[in-house]
Amino acid sequence: MMYNEIRLEKGLYNLSGKSFTAALEELDPSAAYFGTPLEKFDAYERQLKRFNIRIGGQDCDTVEKFFSSTETAVLFPEFVTRSIRKGFDETILSSICATKTYSTSGQYLGCTLDDTAAYTVTTQANTLPTASVMENSKTTVLSKYGRLINASYEAVRSQRLDVFGVMLRSIGVKLAVSVVKKAVECLEFGAEAVPVSALTYDGLAQLYGSFDCFNMTTVIASPQLAAQIAAMEQLKECRADNDGKLILPFGAELIKSSAAENDTIIGLDRSFALEFITSTDLVMETDKLIDRQLDQITVSITCGFRKITPDAVKLLVID
């Protein structure tokens, strides 16, 4: 079945365990388009092409283009979801989480690693030091974060889709910022602290040197402390990477976040420190969006965090 033969209906949003795009991919696999002009499109993007809905560029359509037929209206909730998700994913979560886990309930009980025995030479016939993986004794309770979006169809019907998409992305960014606060709290809780009397480059180097087995790949600081770090004499020769991220002289990426306190800087190894746990992807009331009932639309995500490797997180605490 080709992409222009797919029958679009509301039920594609309600298939158990599948997103709308995943449901479309089953009907119209992207693998069938390798070597064709459509190979860079996913199943949803092929539907936009099918109905000539342009969501960007000089000839960008307006919101009402989605509602030119009952089938095109089915595509609108996915546009909203993708726009908000793009804003959500543009925040620091992707830079600080080692892994993402999907939980089937609102509580998560992962494993913990007890690996405190020294890694030394073991003589013949002696028992090897033990590292034990056990069920965690403490559950991680997932919290719900969300937003109520109130915008009548008449208010947005003539709005360009690229502009409307930017508005939705901003909601995603702000939603993620509230989630980041929980991530920062998790990183700070129980982490080994390096106390200093004032923020100096020597203090940052001391934080870097406090890591033993792991590497300090990331530094999280409040906007105020990040500005002080960026202004340090030792950073004058530093340059941002291709993504505009400031890399400190010892190789750690400096991340500015309002979730961090003005007296604490977090150093972590992003490959080992934090687990992002969620029981849902972004959840939206799709039926209302399809029926143009845009007032009182909610978007939410249920998630939480767990520190995987405590030794992969250190704090620089300014007294």
Side-chain angles (χ1 to χ4, degrees):
M1 180 181 292
M2 294 295 293
Y3 72 98
N4 54 3
E5 298 174 355
I6 301 295
R7 182 184 175 187
L8 299 177
E9 53 188 3
K10 291 181 182 180
L12 292 172
Y13 283 101
N14 301 318
L15 298 178
S16 178
K18 295 178 185 176
S19 66
F20 179 70
T21 297
L24 282 180
E25 285 286 350
E26 282 198 356
L27 297 173
D28 180 37
S30 292
Y33 296 90
F34 289 159
T36 75
L38 297 178
E39 68 175 343
K40 294 183 179 179
F41 292 74
D42 64 19
Y44 175 73
E45 292 166 336
R46 287 192 290 275
Q47 292 303 310
L48 295 180
K49 180 176 178 59
R50 171 188 177 186
F51 293 103
N52 196 30
I53 299 175
R54 294 159 295 193
I55 61 175
Q58 184 176 353
D59 299 322
C60 179
D61 287 312
T62 59
V63 171
E64 65 182 348
K65 182 64 175 287
F66 273 108
F67 298 96
S68 57
S69 72
T70 55
E71 281 197 291
T72 55
V74 174
L75 298 172
F76 185 62
E78 180 67 7
F79 169 78
V80 175
T81 301
R82 286 188 177 210
S83 298
I84 294 176
R85 186 188 295 117
K86 185 175 182 181
F88 190 93
D89 292 342
E90 286 174 351
T91 56
I92 72 171
L93 284 174
S94 60
S95 297
I96 65 175
C97 296
T99 186
K100 184 176 183 179
T101 300
Y102 286 92
S103 173
T104 56
S105 69
Q107 294 188 346
Y108 175 73
L109 189 63
C111 293
T112 182
L113 175 65
D114 182 359
D115 191 21
T116 56
Y119 278 76
T120 57
V121 173
T122 304
T123 57
Q124 188 172 355
N126 282 350
T127 303
L128 291 171
T130 301
S132 302
V133 178
M134 302 172 291
E135 187 176 66
N136 202 342
S137 60
K138 182 180 179 182
T139 60
T140 299
V141 178
L142 309 188
S143 302
K144 185 176 182 178
Y145 302 84
R147 199 70 171 176
L148 179 67
I149 305 171
N150 190 347
S152 70
Y153 174 68
E154 291 304 317
V156 301
R157 60 187 293 268
S158 299
Q159 181 63 65
R160 282 172 56 104
L161 285 168
D162 52 0
V163 177
F164 188 54
V166 170
M167 294 177 184
L168 295 172
R169 278 171 55 199
S170 72
I171 293 173
V173 168
K174 292 177 181 179
L175 183 61
V177 167
S178 65
V179 173
V180 167
K181 291 180 181 178
K182 192 68 175 180
V184 168
E185 289 176 6
C186 180
L187 288 170
E188 290 181 341
F189 183 76
E192 179 184 335
V194 177
V196 293
S197 58
L199 176 58
T200 63
Y201 184 78
D202 287 347
L204 288 176
Q206 189 177 349
L207 177 64
Y208 170 70
S210 68
F211 284 79
D212 182 11
C213 297
F214 302 99
N215 191 26
M216 188 172 76
T217 64
T218 308
V219 170
I220 306 173
S222 68
Q224 177 182 325
L225 294 182
Q228 293 181 36
I229 294 172
M232 289 178 176
E233 182 72 22
Q234 293 86 350
L235 269 68
K236 283 188 175 181
E237 300 301 322
C238 288
R239 295 289 184 269
D241 64 12
N242 293 333
D243 296 322
K245 298 174 181 177
L246 182 60
I247 306 300
L248 301 180
F250 31 81
E253 175 191 348
L254 176 62
I255 291 179
K256 179 184 67 173
S257 174
S258 58
E261 301 291 338
N262 281 328
D263 61 354
T264 304
I265 292 174
I266 305 170
L268 67 139
D269 189 327
R270 73 180 68 178
S271 298
F272 296 95
L274 194 64
E275 180 180 14
F276 179 32
I277 307 150
T278 179
S279 63
T280 64
D281 198 350
L282 288 172
V283 176
M284 201 158 310
E285 298 164 291
T286 55
D287 286 353
K288 285 188 175 183
L289 289 172
I290 293 170
D291 295 335
R292 286 185 279 191
Q293 300 173 24
L294 274 65
D295 55 315
Q296 304 292 303
I297 300 297
T298 60
V299 56
S300 64
I301 185 170
T302 303
C303 61
F305 297 90
R306 186 176 73 94
K307 198 182 301 181
I308 303 173
T309 311
D311 289 348
V313 185
K314 309 284 184 180
L315 306 178
L316 186 69
V317 179
I318 304 167
D319 296 331

